[in-house]
Amino acid sequence: MLSNDRGLLFIISAASGTGKTTLAERLVQTLPNLRMSRSYTSRAARAGERDGVDYNFTSRPEFEAMVQRQEFLEWADVFGNFYGTRRPDTEKWLASGQDVVLVIDVQGARQVKATGIDHTAIFVLPPSFPILESRLRGRSADSEEAMQRRLAAARAEVGAYVDYDYVVINDQLEPTVVRLQEIIAAERSRMHRMRPIAEAIIRSFEK
Ligand code: 5GP
C-alpha cells in the first residue's frame, strides 16, 4: 500500500480526569501504525508505575541538564514537576514512518505549535465540570487540597481548547475512541500530506 514516508504527529491534551491516557492507550492498541511517546518526568513514580514503561523517571538535575542540551521538543512544569518529550525519540519514529501521539499538557502543545512542526492537536473535554469532578473523586486517593489543585488546574486549562484543531467530548469511552480513530484517518488523507503520493499516481497517467 502506498503511504506517506514520514509519520504524523498527534497531540492529545485534556484536564486531569478526562481519560486522555486511557483514550491514547486504546488508540495505540487499535491502530497499527501509531505509537505513544514516552515522556520524561522529574516526578516520583506512583505505586504500580514502571520506569521506561509509564514514563522515563529522571532526577530534577538530570532533567535540567537535558533542557540545557536542548533535547526536548517541548517540556513544561506541571503541578511543580517537570515533564518533557525528548526530540530524538519522536523524530526517530516519525522518520521511520510511524505515527506518534503525545499526551501532553496545554503548555507543551503550545511549544510544539511554535516550532512549526507538522502536527494535529486534539483537545478532549469531559461532558461537564461536575462530571469531571465526580470522576476525579471516584478514582483518586488525593487529599482534598490536591483535589482542589487539580480542579483549579482543570478550570484554567479547558479555555485553551480553542487553539486545538479538534475537540472531542469524552462521554463514553468506546465511541470517543472511534471518533479519535476517525480524526486520525482523516488527517492521514489531508491534501498536503497525500500530495507526493497523489502526484506519483498522476504521473502514471501521463503518456
Ligand atoms: P501525571 O503526573 O498525572 O502523569 O501527568 C500530569 C500532567 O502532565 C498531565 O496533564 C499530562 O498530560 C502532562 N504530561 C505528561 N507528560 C508530558 C510531557 O511530556 N510534556 C508535557 N508538556 N506535559 C506532559
Side-chain angles (χ1 to χ4, degrees):
M1 197 183 85
L2 284 169
S3 68
N4 272 316
D5 288 336
R6 207 177 146 75
L8 303 187
L9 182 62
F10 294 93
I11 292 176
I12 297 181
S13 300
S16 160
T18 310
K20 58 186 180 291
T21 309
T22 310
L23 288 169
E25 279 166 0
R26 291 286 298 130
L27 276 180
V28 296
Q29 282 164 5
T30 54
L31 295 179
N33 198 43
L34 183 72
R35 60 170 45 242
M36 186 143 50
S37 160
R38 190 182 313 113
S39 296
Y40 285 72
T41 183
S42 70
R43 88 153 158 74
R46 297 189 187 118
E49 283 184 332
R50 284 170 298 163
D51 186 28
V53 177
D54 300 285
Y55 281 106
N56 294 307
F57 294 99
T58 62
S59 67
R60 242 179 138 85
E62 234 178 295
F63 195 103
E64 283 164 348
M66 290 173 75
V67 172
Q68 285 300 317
R69 294 196 298 267
Q70 304 192 332
E71 282 183 35
F72 288 115
L73 171 63
E74 61 74 34
W75 70 275
D77 181 335
V78 186
F79 302 132
N81 291 307
F82 297 148
Y83 295 83
T85 307
R86 198 168 160 266
R87 194 195 311 265
D89 300 352
T90 313
E91 188 45 46
K92 180 182 71 188
W93 294 119
L94 293 174
S96 74
Q98 293 262 305
D99 296 344
V100 177
V101 59
L102 311 180
V103 183
I104 61 176
D105 85 322
V106 299
Q107 307 172 71
R110 260 183 226 124
Q111 290 172 37
V112 174
K113 195 171 183 178
T115 65
I117 290 175
D118 187 24
H119 72 284
T120 301
I122 306 167
F123 200 91
V124 183
L125 279 173
S128 69
F129 182 80
I131 291 172
L132 177 73
E133 181 170 6
S134 77
R135 282 182 189 169
L136 268 176
R137 289 190 184 278
R139 77 161 196 201
S140 144
D142 278 354
S143 65
E144 184 56 29
E145 191 197 332
M147 180 62 63
Q148 289 304 331
R149 217 175 48 215
R150 276 185 195 278
L151 293 173
R155 283 205 162 92
E157 277 173 8
V158 289
Y161 85 93
V162 287
D163 297 326
Y164 285 65
D165 302 304
Y166 292 93
V167 185
V168 168
I169 296 159
N170 189 13
D171 36 14
Q172 281 187 305
L173 181 66
E174 286 308 323
T176 307
V177 172
V178 171
R179 248 169 289 151
L180 291 171
Q181 289 169 337
E182 288 165 349
I183 290 171
I184 291 173
E187 283 297 315
R188 285 175 176 160
S189 302
R190 291 281 292 242
M191 180 59 75
H192 71 283
R193 297 189 179 122
M194 288 302 290
R195 195 127 204 174
I197 297 162
E199 279 172 1
I201 294 171
I202 300 306
R203 273 197 300 279
S204 78
F205 281 64
E206 288 164 7
K207 280 196 216 149

